Amino acid sequence: MPGIGPRTAQRLALHLLRQPEEKIKTFSNALLNARSQIGYCKNCFHLTSNDICEICKNNDRNKALICVVSDSRDLLALERTREYKGLYHVLGGLISPMEGISPEMLHISQLVQRVTQTETNEVILALTPSVEGDTTSLYLARLLKPFVKVTRIAYGLPVGSELEYADEVTLTRALEGRTDIE
Amino acid sequence: MPGIGPRTAQRLALHLLRQPEEKIKTFSNALLNARSQIGYCKNCFHLTSNDICEICKNNDRNKALICVVSDSRDLLALERTREYKGLYHVLGGLISPMEGISPEMLHISQLVQRVTQTETNEVILALTPSVEGDTTSLYLARLLKPFVKVTRIAYGLPVGSELEYADEVTLTRALEGRTDIE
């Protein structure tokens, strides 16, 4: 399991062996249930125990706004801001010729379908500022622009950082991405 | 001196005492010369040994573009990108009521003078994304907007970072600051 080396594994294993059998049964069942009951939302591909996830179901959210993320962890990070009130679309990865991930392996056709079949005003691409993120953003932008307004989140100085210690690429992006001040 | 604690200070002092007297004289003179010869550029307040700094003198640079920074360290960080080809204006700090730094204590009047007396197309505010930086940016924007286009550098995800690990404030700024994709 990620982040668990041999020593931690041994500690966890010994801890589990020391538990009463009843507790271990509950734990095993919880794992089995989680695995069998949690699937992907048919609309946005976020994790859910239903057909459609809580976010897609929520009528208080702006259904004309779709934020595209690489995976559910990024979706959860954006949810923590409590600022975004639209829907999401989870791609399930980023295009990466190096790792053999092509566009067909991601939920891209479903995104195009959503955009063309529902009333969508804007698609926000919230992908990591990396080669794969940029490639995927460009690919999606070219695909979606005939149908909808496409934007991407800002790349630049993180809040609380010092200009002095920012790397050159980030500073260059921050300069290029400068915006009119309101 | 910043970053030098008692132990390092002792190490440096003992090292200096071990040097031949001639070497120490050269070092002292270098310090004295630096202190007496290096001053501020009369135009942009960057450090220089002349009246006007090398950047302001350079005819290859775009004189209609002024990038406003807090101090010379930030200017040097931007120069390292090799992307920016305009001039600078060093404020000498940021407005901070907490630390008792008011606008009059910074090189703001000189900036207004530069903008109004030279042909300037755009002022880029490149201040840190902090309370002081934002306060100063807003103050400058209000002051300069009657005369010139005012922009600020982008705040958002730094290049190479993961969305998942970004703090909420940065993510919120990145969402708010989203831009149309070209």
Side-chain angles (χ1 to χ4, degrees), chain B residues 56-80:
Chain B
C56 288
K57 265 191 215 158
N58 188 340
N59 279 324
D60 290 340
R61 299 192 75 121
N62 177 359
K63 312 238 167 192
L65 195 59
I66 298 179
C67 181
V68 177
V69 292
S70 158
D71 53 42
S72 283
R73 281 172 304 177
D74 293 348
L75 183 157
L76 293 171
L78 286 164
E79 279 299 284
R80 278 197 294 273

PDB file of all heavy atoms in Angstrom, chain B residues 56-80:
ATOM      1  N   CYS B  56      17.907  50.572 -16.671  1.00  0.00           N
ATOM      2  CA  CYS B  56      17.290  51.797 -17.179  1.00  0.00           C
ATOM      3  C   CYS B  56      18.056  52.353 -18.388  1.00  0.00           C
ATOM      4  O   CYS B  56      17.477  52.943 -19.281  1.00  0.00           O
ATOM      5  CB  CYS B  56      17.224  52.866 -16.082  1.00  0.00           C
ATOM      6  SG  CYS B  56      15.994  52.521 -14.813  1.00  0.00           S
ATOM      7  N   LYS B  57      19.391  52.134 -18.374  1.00  0.00           N
ATOM      8  CA  LYS B  57      20.233  52.651 -19.458  1.00  0.00           C
ATOM      9  C   LYS B  57      20.081  51.850 -20.741  1.00  0.00           C
ATOM     10  O   LYS B  57      20.311  52.362 -21.833  1.00  0.00           O
ATOM     11  CB  LYS B  57      21.704  52.557 -19.027  1.00  0.00           C
ATOM     12  CG  LYS B  57      22.276  53.819 -18.406  1.00  0.00           C
ATOM     13  CD  LYS B  57      23.778  53.646 -18.284  1.00  0.00           C
ATOM     14  CE  LYS B  57      24.301  54.326 -17.045  1.00  0.00           C
ATOM     15  NZ  LYS B  57      25.595  53.780 -16.626  1.00  0.00           N
ATOM     16  N   ASN B  58      19.743  50.556 -20.601  1.00  0.00           N
ATOM     17  CA  ASN B  58      19.751  49.613 -21.712  1.00  0.00           C
ATOM     18  C   ASN B  58      18.682  49.964 -22.755  1.00  0.00           C
ATOM     19  O   ASN B  58      17.480  49.920 -22.483  1.00  0.00           O
ATOM     20  CB  ASN B  58      19.496  48.211 -21.152  1.00  0.00           C
ATOM     21  CG  ASN B  58      19.676  47.132 -22.194  1.00  0.00           C
ATOM     22  OD1 ASN B  58      19.623  47.400 -23.396  1.00  0.00           O
ATOM     23  ND2 ASN B  58      19.883  45.915 -21.730  1.00  0.00           N
ATOM     24  N   ASN B  59      19.151  50.292 -23.970  1.00  0.00           N
ATOM     25  CA  ASN B  59      18.214  50.727 -25.007  1.00  0.00           C
ATOM     26  C   ASN B  59      17.445  49.583 -25.658  1.00  0.00           C
ATOM     27  O   ASN B  59      16.511  49.816 -26.418  1.00  0.00           O
ATOM     28  CB  ASN B  59      18.944  51.542 -26.075  1.00  0.00           C
ATOM     29  CG  ASN B  59      19.126  52.979 -25.609  1.00  0.00           C
ATOM     30  OD1 ASN B  59      18.252  53.538 -24.945  1.00  0.00           O
ATOM     31  ND2 ASN B  59      20.272  53.565 -25.921  1.00  0.00           N
ATOM     32  N   ASP B  60      17.866  48.334 -25.358  1.00  0.00           N
ATOM     33  CA  ASP B  60      17.145  47.183 -25.901  1.00  0.00           C
ATOM     34  C   ASP B  60      15.882  46.883 -25.109  1.00  0.00           C
ATOM     35  O   ASP B  60      15.088  46.036 -25.512  1.00  0.00           O
ATOM     36  CB  ASP B  60      18.039  45.930 -25.874  1.00  0.00           C
ATOM     37  CG  ASP B  60      19.154  46.048 -26.897  1.00  0.00           C
ATOM     38  OD1 ASP B  60      18.996  46.867 -27.822  1.00  0.00           O
ATOM     39  OD2 ASP B  60      20.166  45.354 -26.738  1.00  0.00           O
ATOM     40  N   ARG B  61      15.698  47.528 -23.991  1.00  0.00           N
ATOM     41  CA  ARG B  61      14.546  47.207 -23.149  1.00  0.00           C
ATOM     42  C   ARG B  61      13.355  48.088 -23.490  1.00  0.00           C
ATOM     43  O   ARG B  61      13.511  49.217 -23.958  1.00  0.00           O
ATOM     44  CB  ARG B  61      14.925  47.332 -21.669  1.00  0.00           C
ATOM     45  CG  ARG B  61      16.057  46.362 -21.317  1.00  0.00           C
ATOM     46  CD  ARG B  61      16.269  46.224 -19.839  1.00  0.00           C
ATOM     47  NE  ARG B  61      15.253  45.421 -19.218  1.00  0.00           N
ATOM     48  CZ  ARG B  61      15.497  44.303 -18.528  1.00  0.00           C
ATOM     49  NH1 ARG B  61      16.713  43.842 -18.395  1.00  0.00           N
ATOM     50  NH2 ARG B  61      14.510  43.641 -17.968  1.00  0.00           N
ATOM     51  N   ASN B  62      12.193  47.556 -23.258  1.00  0.00           N
ATOM     52  CA  ASN B  62      10.949  48.253 -23.571  1.00  0.00           C
ATOM     53  C   ASN B  62      10.656  49.301 -22.490  1.00  0.00           C
ATOM     54  O   ASN B  62      10.246  48.959 -21.391  1.00  0.00           O
ATOM     55  CB  ASN B  62       9.834  47.205 -23.641  1.00  0.00           C
ATOM     56  CG  ASN B  62       8.481  47.839 -23.901  1.00  0.00           C
ATOM     57  OD1 ASN B  62       8.362  49.060 -24.007  1.00  0.00           O
ATOM     58  ND2 ASN B  62       7.468  47.001 -24.014  1.00  0.00           N
ATOM     59  N   LYS B  63      10.847  50.570 -22.850  1.00  0.00           N
ATOM     60  CA  LYS B  63      10.731  51.641 -21.847  1.00  0.00           C
ATOM     61  C   LYS B  63       9.278  52.005 -21.548  1.00  0.00           C
ATOM     62  O   LYS B  63       9.001  52.825 -20.679  1.00  0.00           O
ATOM     63  CB  LYS B  63      11.491  52.891 -22.320  1.00  0.00           C
ATOM     64  CG  LYS B  63      12.888  52.596 -22.827  1.00  0.00           C
ATOM     65  CD  LYS B  63      13.949  53.350 -22.080  1.00  0.00           C
ATOM     66  CE  LYS B  63      15.320  52.775 -22.417  1.00  0.00           C
ATOM     67  NZ  LYS B  63      16.397  53.207 -21.596  1.00  0.00           N
ATOM     68  N   ALA B  64       8.353  51.414 -22.284  1.00  0.00           N
ATOM     69  CA  ALA B  64       6.940  51.737 -22.055  1.00  0.00           C
ATOM     70  C   ALA B  64       6.293  50.781 -21.055  1.00  0.00           C
ATOM     71  O   ALA B  64       5.101  50.856 -20.790  1.00  0.00           O
ATOM     72  CB  ALA B  64       6.186  51.693 -23.377  1.00  0.00           C
ATOM     73  N   LEU B  65       7.101  49.886 -20.498  1.00  0.00           N
ATOM     74  CA  LEU B  65       6.600  48.857 -19.582  1.00  0.00           C
ATOM     75  C   LEU B  65       7.359  48.969 -18.262  1.00  0.00           C
ATOM     76  O   LEU B  65       8.577  48.911 -18.246  1.00  0.00           O
ATOM     77  CB  LEU B  65       6.847  47.489 -20.222  1.00  0.00           C
ATOM     78  CG  LEU B  65       6.156  46.254 -19.685  1.00  0.00           C
ATOM     79  CD1 LEU B  65       4.649  46.418 -19.746  1.00  0.00           C
ATOM     80  CD2 LEU B  65       6.583  45.043 -20.519  1.00  0.00           C
ATOM     81  N   ILE B  66       6.624  49.163 -17.168  1.00  0.00           N
ATOM     82  CA  ILE B  66       7.271  49.270 -15.852  1.00  0.00           C
ATOM     83  C   ILE B  66       6.738  48.174 -14.939  1.00  0.00           C
ATOM     84  O   ILE B  66       5.527  48.054 -14.748  1.00  0.00           O
ATOM     85  CB  ILE B  66       7.004  50.648 -15.204  1.00  0.00           C
ATOM     86  CG1 ILE B  66       7.586  51.768 -16.063  1.00  0.00           C
ATOM     87  CG2 ILE B  66       7.614  50.702 -13.798  1.00  0.00           C
ATOM     88  CD1 ILE B  66       7.331  53.168 -15.497  1.00  0.00           C
ATOM     89  N   CYS B  67       7.648  47.379 -14.391  1.00  0.00           N
ATOM     90  CA  CYS B  67       7.269  46.335 -13.446  1.00  0.00           C
ATOM     91  C   CYS B  67       7.611  46.822 -12.036  1.00  0.00           C
ATOM     92  O   CYS B  67       8.758  47.115 -11.736  1.00  0.00           O
ATOM     93  CB  CYS B  67       8.024  45.054 -13.774  1.00  0.00           C
ATOM     94  SG  CYS B  67       7.611  43.690 -12.694  1.00  0.00           S
ATOM     95  N   VAL B  68       6.599  46.905 -11.175  1.00  0.00           N
ATOM     96  CA  VAL B  68       6.786  47.427  -9.826  1.00  0.00           C
ATOM     97  C   VAL B  68       7.088  46.282  -8.868  1.00  0.00           C
ATOM     98  O   VAL B  68       6.320  45.322  -8.783  1.00  0.00           O
ATOM     99  CB  VAL B  68       5.524  48.182  -9.351  1.00  0.00           C
ATOM    100  CG1 VAL B  68       5.694  48.673  -7.921  1.00  0.00           C
ATOM    101  CG2 VAL B  68       5.232  49.349 -10.287  1.00  0.00           C
ATOM    102  N   VAL B  69       8.229  46.357  -8.161  1.00  0.00           N
ATOM    103  CA  VAL B  69       8.584  45.329  -7.179  1.00  0.00           C
ATOM    104  C   VAL B  69       8.844  45.986  -5.826  1.00  0.00           C
ATOM    105  O   VAL B  69       9.056  47.192  -5.738  1.00  0.00           O
ATOM    106  CB  VAL B  69       9.835  44.531  -7.614  1.00  0.00           C
ATOM    107  CG1 VAL B  69       9.550  43.674  -8.828  1.00  0.00           C
ATOM    108  CG2 VAL B  69      11.003  45.459  -7.882  1.00  0.00           C
ATOM    109  N   SER B  70       8.836  45.132  -4.802  1.00  0.00           N
ATOM    110  CA  SER B  70       9.039  45.635  -3.441  1.00  0.00           C
ATOM    111  C   SER B  70      10.505  46.017  -3.208  1.00  0.00           C
ATOM    112  O   SER B  70      10.809  47.081  -2.711  1.00  0.00           O
ATOM    113  CB  SER B  70       8.588  44.568  -2.449  1.00  0.00           C
ATOM    114  OG  SER B  70       9.174  44.755  -1.206  1.00  0.00           O
ATOM    115  N   ASP B  71      11.428  45.126  -3.568  1.00  0.00           N
ATOM    116  CA  ASP B  71      12.842  45.469  -3.395  1.00  0.00           C
ATOM    117  C   ASP B  71      13.708  44.839  -4.476  1.00  0.00           C
ATOM    118  O   ASP B  71      13.225  44.105  -5.327  1.00  0.00           O
ATOM    119  CB  ASP B  71      13.337  45.099  -1.993  1.00  0.00           C
ATOM    120  CG  ASP B  71      13.037  43.658  -1.658  1.00  0.00           C
ATOM    121  OD1 ASP B  71      13.224  42.806  -2.539  1.00  0.00           O
ATOM    122  OD2 ASP B  71      12.617  43.393  -0.526  1.00  0.00           O
ATOM    123  N   SER B  72      15.012  45.135  -4.431  1.00  0.00           N
ATOM    124  CA  SER B  72      15.935  44.716  -5.484  1.00  0.00           C
ATOM    125  C   SER B  72      16.054  43.197  -5.577  1.00  0.00           C
ATOM    126  O   SER B  72      16.340  42.671  -6.648  1.00  0.00           O
ATOM    127  CB  SER B  72      17.316  45.336  -5.257  1.00  0.00           C
ATOM    128  OG  SER B  72      17.309  46.686  -5.653  1.00  0.00           O
ATOM    129  N   ARG B  73      15.826  42.486  -4.457  1.00  0.00           N
ATOM    130  CA  ARG B  73      15.901  41.017  -4.520  1.00  0.00           C
ATOM    131  C   ARG B  73      14.829  40.465  -5.453  1.00  0.00           C
ATOM    132  O   ARG B  73      15.061  39.525  -6.209  1.00  0.00           O
ATOM    133  CB  ARG B  73      15.716  40.419  -3.130  1.00  0.00           C
ATOM    134  CG  ARG B  73      16.975  40.494  -2.275  1.00  0.00           C
ATOM    135  CD  ARG B  73      16.654  40.055  -0.871  1.00  0.00           C
ATOM    136  NE  ARG B  73      15.547  40.868  -0.334  1.00  0.00           N
ATOM    137  CZ  ARG B  73      15.000  40.687   0.866  1.00  0.00           C
ATOM    138  NH1 ARG B  73      15.414  39.714   1.633  1.00  0.00           N
ATOM    139  NH2 ARG B  73      14.025  41.469   1.290  1.00  0.00           N
ATOM    140  N   ASP B  74      13.629  41.061  -5.402  1.00  0.00           N
ATOM    141  CA  ASP B  74      12.552  40.605  -6.279  1.00  0.00           C
ATOM    142  C   ASP B  74      12.870  40.933  -7.731  1.00  0.00           C
ATOM    143  O   ASP B  74      12.591  40.146  -8.638  1.00  0.00           O
ATOM    144  CB  ASP B  74      11.230  41.258  -5.864  1.00  0.00           C
ATOM    145  CG  ASP B  74      10.776  40.762  -4.492  1.00  0.00           C
ATOM    146  OD1 ASP B  74      11.352  39.772  -4.008  1.00  0.00           O
ATOM    147  OD2 ASP B  74       9.869  41.369  -3.916  1.00  0.00           O
ATOM    148  N   LEU B  75      13.474  42.115  -7.936  1.00  0.00           N
ATOM    149  CA  LEU B  75      13.888  42.503  -9.285  1.00  0.00           C
ATOM    150  C   LEU B  75      14.852  41.465  -9.839  1.00  0.00           C
ATOM    151  O   LEU B  75      14.705  40.994 -10.968  1.00  0.00           O
ATOM    152  CB  LEU B  75      14.549  43.882  -9.219  1.00  0.00           C
ATOM    153  CG  LEU B  75      15.010  44.549 -10.499  1.00  0.00           C
ATOM    154  CD1 LEU B  75      15.086  46.057 -10.297  1.00  0.00           C
ATOM    155  CD2 LEU B  75      16.335  44.040 -11.004  1.00  0.00           C
ATOM    156  N   LEU B  76      15.839  41.064  -9.018  1.00  0.00           N
ATOM    157  CA  LEU B  76      16.836  40.089  -9.480  1.00  0.00           C
ATOM    158  C   LEU B  76      16.176  38.738  -9.767  1.00  0.00           C
ATOM    159  O   LEU B  76      16.560  38.052 -10.718  1.00  0.00           O
ATOM    160  CB  LEU B  76      17.943  39.941  -8.431  1.00  0.00           C
ATOM    161  CG  LEU B  76      18.804  41.213  -8.258  1.00  0.00           C
ATOM    162  CD1 LEU B  76      19.734  41.089  -7.051  1.00  0.00           C
ATOM    163  CD2 LEU B  76      19.610  41.503  -9.514  1.00  0.00           C
ATOM    164  N   ALA B  77      15.165  38.368  -8.987  1.00  0.00           N
ATOM    165  CA  ALA B  77      14.441  37.115  -9.251  1.00  0.00           C
ATOM    166  C   ALA B  77      13.753  37.180 -10.612  1.00  0.00           C
ATOM    167  O   ALA B  77      13.787  36.219 -11.388  1.00  0.00           O
ATOM    168  CB  ALA B  77      13.425  36.850  -8.147  1.00  0.00           C
ATOM    169  N   LEU B  78      13.148  38.310 -10.927  1.00  0.00           N
ATOM    170  CA  LEU B  78      12.473  38.461 -12.215  1.00  0.00           C
ATOM    171  C   LEU B  78      13.490  38.490 -13.362  1.00  0.00           C
ATOM    172  O   LEU B  78      13.235  37.953 -14.445  1.00  0.00           O
ATOM    173  CB  LEU B  78      11.623  39.732 -12.235  1.00  0.00           C
ATOM    174  CG  LEU B  78      10.333  39.632 -11.410  1.00  0.00           C
ATOM    175  CD1 LEU B  78       9.747  41.002 -11.140  1.00  0.00           C
ATOM    176  CD2 LEU B  78       9.320  38.766 -12.141  1.00  0.00           C
ATOM    177  N   GLU B  79      14.652  39.098 -13.118  1.00  0.00           N
ATOM    178  CA  GLU B  79      15.684  39.129 -14.152  1.00  0.00           C
ATOM    179  C   GLU B  79      16.167  37.719 -14.487  1.00  0.00           C
ATOM    180  O   GLU B  79      16.488  37.430 -15.629  1.00  0.00           O
ATOM    181  CB  GLU B  79      16.871  39.987 -13.695  1.00  0.00           C
ATOM    182  CG  GLU B  79      16.648  41.479 -13.880  1.00  0.00           C
ATOM    183  CD  GLU B  79      16.439  41.834 -15.334  1.00  0.00           C
ATOM    184  OE1 GLU B  79      17.403  41.874 -16.093  1.00  0.00           O
ATOM    185  OE2 GLU B  79      15.269  42.056 -15.724  1.00  0.00           O
ATOM    186  N   ARG B  80      16.185  36.854 -13.467  1.00  0.00           N
ATOM    187  CA  ARG B  80      16.650  35.480 -13.698  1.00  0.00           C
ATOM    188  C   ARG B  80      15.749  34.718 -14.667  1.00  0.00           C
ATOM    189  O   ARG B  80      16.180  33.745 -15.270  1.00  0.00           O
ATOM    190  CB  ARG B  80      16.725  34.718 -12.366  1.00  0.00           C
ATOM    191  CG  ARG B  80      17.987  34.996 -11.587  1.00  0.00           C
ATOM    192  CD  ARG B  80      18.226  33.928 -10.509  1.00  0.00           C
ATOM    193  NE  ARG B  80      17.214  33.943  -9.469  1.00  0.00           N
ATOM    194  CZ  ARG B  80      17.253  34.706  -8.373  1.00  0.00           C
ATOM    195  NH1 ARG B  80      18.262  35.531  -8.177  1.00  0.00           N
ATOM    196  NH2 ARG B  80      16.302  34.655  -7.481  1.00  0.00           N
TER     197      ARG B  80
END
